[in-house]
Amino acid sequence: MGKVAVGAAVVCAAAVCAATALVVRHRMQSSGKWARTVAILKELEGTCGTPIGKLKQIADAMTVEMYAGLASEGGSKLKMIISFVDNLPTGDEKGLFYALDLGGTNFRVLRVLLGGKEGRVVKQESKEVSIPHDLMIGTSQELFDFIATELAEFVATEGEGLHVSSGKQRELGFTFSFPVKQTSITSGNLIKWTKGFSIEDAVEKDVVGELTKAMERMGLDMRVSALVNDTIGTLAGGRYHNQDVIAAVILGTGTNAAYVERANAIPKWQGLLPKSGEMVINMEWGNFRSSHLPLTEYDQALDVESKNPGEQIFEKVISGMYLGEIVRRVLYRMAEEAAFFGDTVPPKLNIPYILRTPDMSAMHHDTSSDLKVVGNKLKDILEITNTSLKMRKVIVEVCDIVATRGARLSAAGIVGILKKLGRDTVRDGETQKSVIALDGGLYEHYKKFSGCMESTLKELLGEDVAENIIVEHSNDGSGIGASLLAASHSQYLEV
């Protein structure tokens, strides 16, 4: 063999060796990166863990905070707000009642014809109105005049059989989903605006007074007979259909709970005890926190960067506003530390709240063999293409860990309420049912979340107790619920 041929053979061999070394190194790097991905996943699973012992500690902590919040103002992270709702619907209510639901950039007006025990909700009609942006940052009078005008126009469309009895005022339930300091069933002062509203001259004013003045200016003879929030409306709607309802929980974009308390078990209550002996408490449970909550570095970073750091910690780990964002933060860390999506971090993955909880839910519920929905969501939302089945499975696993933690913590919160009411045990010969009314998009549409929450409830309570605890979907508390509360607090009720 000539020198040239030998030289060429050596060069070729060297090239093959170099290429082989490159492949081996690439495989080693890939396996190293994959190992890092798996390590991040395992760490997430560990820090999000909700063993039954921990959940029982969280339920106990919720009960303790409830007692503290009822004892004194500011005594607990739970506000335990006295709602002044002391008459929940019984099903006997009759007549025509209105509701106004103001909780965001749209508001709804409803009218509901109630027919008593036999007729129930005979008829309901509603109209949704978008609030122009300039009115969200204008004056109190401008906003409430706009609402009263729309309300008057809606009243003018009352059809046959949809009229109040002669000589009677129309009555309205007002769902106002902004922070208020309630002073009676028909009055409450605005603490602050949220959700893009900024009307300075309305802060600290009585929102019922502002609406009433606007209705008077429009010549509309209508009385607000109940000022409520959506959670209390859900409780009322649930109780109307089932007298065993004792509490309501909202699991949607945000989260809250309300329940029926014995009036003599509220030490901070100053007035005369209501005739019914009961009082609905608005817990504002999103603000619950405990050292037992399984918080991760992702939760801590999300909290620090939020508009309300240190507040609403429970809400930030269980509600629809935040679940998708927690998943995004985990994927971002995988992309940065384990090159999960390739050598560069996909730019869209760096945008907070780009991954919404409905998208997370769609990926979590993907049953296709190649997890096609996961692939499409990554492509459409994050502009990430060419993901392998192995990668998609990791993403579903992340969704599962985050949703499972939220669902199990929600169940622990409900058990905390049941403990406070003494409904977490079975007494001899007692078969009283305890019904929890649930509403909210997260509960209604994220089936793996709601299913996990309900199975955890059974696990925490034990079979004997769980037989008497029922979770029921109670729809449209902010609308129908408000009109029912207008009826149960009507000025025309026979005393």
Side-chain angles (χ1 to χ4, degrees):
M1 191 184 285
K3 286 181 182 174
V4 174
V6 171
V10 169
V11 168
C12 281
V16 168
C17 286
T20 305
L22 204 63
V23 168
V24 170
R25 197 179 310 129
H26 180 69
R27 279 187 184 151
M28 282 172 68
Q29 280 179 340
S30 292
S31 66
K33 285 170 183 172
W34 185 252
R36 184 74 196 113
T37 297
V38 172
I40 291 169
L41 190 62
K42 288 286 174 211
E43 184 195 350
L44 178 72
E45 194 174 24
T47 51
C48 283
T50 49
I52 209 75
K54 185 182 273 286
L55 292 177
K56 285 181 174 175
Q57 289 175 319
I58 289 163
D60 288 344
M62 181 69 81
T63 308
V64 167
E65 289 295 323
M66 288 171 75
Y67 275 106
L70 290 173
S72 63
E73 292 297 343
S76 162
K77 279 283 180 190
L78 296 178
K79 289 194 174 73
M80 302 300 283
I81 297 165
I82 294 167
S83 70
F84 296 91
V85 171
D86 56 6
N87 280 315
L88 282 167
T90 61
D92 293 323
E93 293 78 12
K94 288 183 176 180
L96 182 69
F97 296 92
Y98 279 80
L100 166 63
D101 176 15
L102 175 62
T105 51
N106 293 349
F107 69 87
R108 284 186 308 153
V109 286
L110 299 89
R111 66 174 144 251
V112 178
L113 183 63
L114 302 174
K117 279 270 194 286
E118 300 304 313
R120 293 288 171 165
V121 177
V122 177
K123 191 169 185 183
Q124 65 181 83
E125 297 173 339
S126 66
K127 173 186 173 186
E128 189 156 331
V129 182
S130 183
I131 301 173
H133 184 260
D134 58 318
L135 292 184
M136 293 168 65
I137 53 173
T139 66
S140 178
Q141 183 168 328
E142 287 167 345
L143 174 68
F144 283 103
D145 278 359
F146 176 73
I147 291 169
T149 302
E150 292 290 344
L151 192 51
E153 285 178 11
F154 184 64
V155 168
T157 64
E158 282 179 352
E160 200 174 323
L162 287 174
H163 299 287
V164 291
S165 310
S166 81
K168 284 189 177 178
Q169 237 183 341
R170 290 180 183 86
E171 295 184 291
L172 173 91
F174 184 10
T175 301
F176 186 74
S177 298
F178 298 92
V180 289
K181 172 79 173 117
Q182 194 128 0
T183 47
S184 76
I185 186 65
T186 56
S187 59
N189 298 337
L190 176 67
I191 296 169
K192 63 175 179 181
W193 288 106
T194 54
K195 306 171 195 177
F197 282 78
S198 180
I199 303 171
E200 289 306 314
D201 71 337
V203 176
E204 295 184 6
K205 281 188 181 168
D206 174 16
V207 292
V208 173
E210 293 297 290
L211 176 62
T212 301
K213 284 187 284 188
M215 290 192 295
E216 284 168 358
R217 284 193 289 271
M218 296 305 136
L220 179 59
D221 186 23
M222 187 178 275
R223 172 183 177 266
V224 177
S225 57
L227 172 67
V228 296
N229 72 10
D230 56 353
T231 317
I232 290 162
T234 299
L235 181 58
R239 176 66 76 92
Y240 181 70
H241 294 290
N242 188 335
Q243 289 297 299
D244 290 330
V245 166
I246 56 161
V249 174
I250 301 279
L251 286 164
T253 306
T255 184
N256 193 13
Y259 74 102
V260 185
E261 182 59 274
R262 288 175 296 112
N264 62 7
I266 310 170
K268 68 180 179 182
W269 173 256
Q270 299 296 320
L272 291 169
L273 292 179
K275 284 191 185 122
S276 67
E278 294 182 335
M279 179 60 71
V280 173
I281 299 293
N282 166 21
M283 288 176 63
E284 292 293 336
W285 88 346
N287 207 40
F288 170 71
R289 70 181 306 168
S290 159
S291 60
H292 299 297
L293 286 177
L295 301 178
T296 67
E297 61 186 88
Y298 311 104
D299 303 306
Q300 282 151 2
L302 183 153
D303 178 48
V304 166
E305 293 163 31
S306 69
K307 288 178 181 172
N308 54 348
E311 293 177 29
Q312 300 296 105
I313 300 299
F314 196 50
E315 182 167 83
K316 285 170 184 167
V317 289
I318 72 171
S319 83
M321 176 81 189
Y322 302 101
L323 296 180
E325 171 61 6
I326 297 165
V327 170
R328 180 198 71 82
R329 286 171 180 269
V330 176
L331 297 182
Y332 183 84
R333 186 175 168 207
M334 286 178 171
E336 199 174 41
E337 292 184 19
F340 186 62
F341 296 110
D343 292 336
T344 56
V345 176
K348 286 276 178 84
L349 193 56
N350 203 18
I351 302 170
Y353 297 93
I354 192 169
L355 188 65
R356 296 162 52 250
T357 300
D359 301 315
M360 167 191 172
S361 172
M363 293 194 292
H364 194 179
H365 289 97
D366 189 357
T367 53
S368 60
S369 58
D370 59 349
L371 296 177
K372 191 177 179 182
V373 175
V374 178
N376 288 341
K377 288 289 179 190
L378 293 171
K379 186 163 134 267
D380 297 345
I381 299 160
L382 300 169
E383 294 175 2
I384 296 169
T385 52
N386 302 327
T387 51
S388 67
L389 182 58
K390 194 175 169 186
M391 290 165 70
R392 293 175 189 184
K393 283 180 176 174
V394 167
I395 290 162
V396 173
E397 185 69 20
V398 172
C399 294
D400 188 63
I401 292 167
V402 171
T404 298
R405 178 187 64 164
R408 285 173 70 82
L409 291 176
S410 305
I414 292 171
V415 171
I417 299 172
L418 292 170
K419 284 175 83 74
K420 171 70 183 72
L421 295 174
R423 304 284 186 116
D424 62 323
T425 54
V426 178
R427 292 182 183 89
D428 288 343
E430 195 179 292
T431 55
Q432 188 184 11
K433 300 285 184 198
S434 299
V435 181
I436 315 290
L438 258 119
D439 197 14
L442 180 66
Y443 172 77
E444 192 177 350
H445 303 301
Y446 200 148
K447 295 303 178 192
K448 281 185 184 284
F449 185 100
S450 50
C452 176
M453 187 201 80
E454 288 174 31
S455 63
T456 305
L457 209 47
K458 290 192 175 98
E459 193 185 343
L460 279 165
L461 293 166
E463 268 183 47
D464 290 349
V465 178
E467 274 181 24
N468 292 320
I469 308 295
I470 299 155
V471 171
E472 268 184 12
H473 183 216
S474 174
N475 211 353
D476 194 22
S478 54
I480 300 284
S483 63
L484 292 168
L485 286 164
S488 65
H489 289 82
S490 168
Q491 65 189 323
Y492 302 112
L493 285 177
E494 290 165 19
V495 180

